[in-house]
Amino acid sequence: MTQKEFEERTGLKLNAEGYAEVEQIYMNTDLDKDLFCKLWIENPTALKEIERKTVLVRELYEERKSLSNFLIDQAEKWSASDLREKAISMIGDKEYIRRKLAKGYNLWSADKELLDSILRG
């Protein structure tokens, strides 16, 4: 959203520094322009809480992604089926197979059975 769009939607006039704060908060949320502007006017406290929680969710998603990749790597390194199962429970069957193939790992017999099951639908 541009500064002009924000000002038209809210009726507020901001300097560049003031709009920089608006833009940062807007980019940290998944709200559409109209809802964002409405909340900016009606309930800025709620908007800042939405921003805080959205950022937290994104961080947790990245952490979960990193952890699941670690589990896949360790399962491969140690042939550990319990780590494989934990990775699958975190990211699902299809994503587990996709990531394993993307890493160039060989499919275990259990992976082949899982892939067969996925393909059969």
Side-chain angles (χ1 to χ4, degrees), residues 46-96:
L47 185 58
K48 291 199 183 228
E49 185 65 14
I50 290 169
E51 176 199 20
R52 187 183 71 75
K53 288 186 177 181
T54 302
V55 168
L56 178 61
V57 166
R58 288 177 183 160
E59 289 170 354
L60 290 171
Y61 173 79
E62 288 302 315
E63 188 174 320
R64 185 178 181 97
K65 180 179 170 184
S66 177
L67 181 56
S68 59
N69 285 337
F70 176 77
L71 289 170
I72 292 168
D73 292 342
Q74 293 303 303
E76 186 69 18
K77 180 178 179 179
W78 300 105
S79 298
S81 60
D82 57 336
L83 298 178
R84 174 189 176 275
E85 290 301 320
K86 184 61 179 171
I88 291 171
S89 74
M90 288 179 71
I91 58 176
D93 299 344
K94 291 178 185 177
E95 184 62 16
Y96 165 78

Side-chain angles (χ1 to χ4, degrees), residues 5-17:
E5 290 174 311
F6 176 79
E7 291 175 349
E8 288 172 353
R9 283 174 166 82
T10 62
L12 302 172
K13 298 292 181 205
L14 300 175
N15 60 25
E17 186 178 298

Side-chain angles (χ1 to χ4, degrees), residues 30-43:
D30 294 324
L31 300 173
D32 69 35
K33 295 174 186 179
D34 292 324
L35 180 56
F36 178 87
C37 291
K38 180 181 178 186
L39 285 172
W40 186 271
I41 294 168
E42 294 177 4
N43 198 341

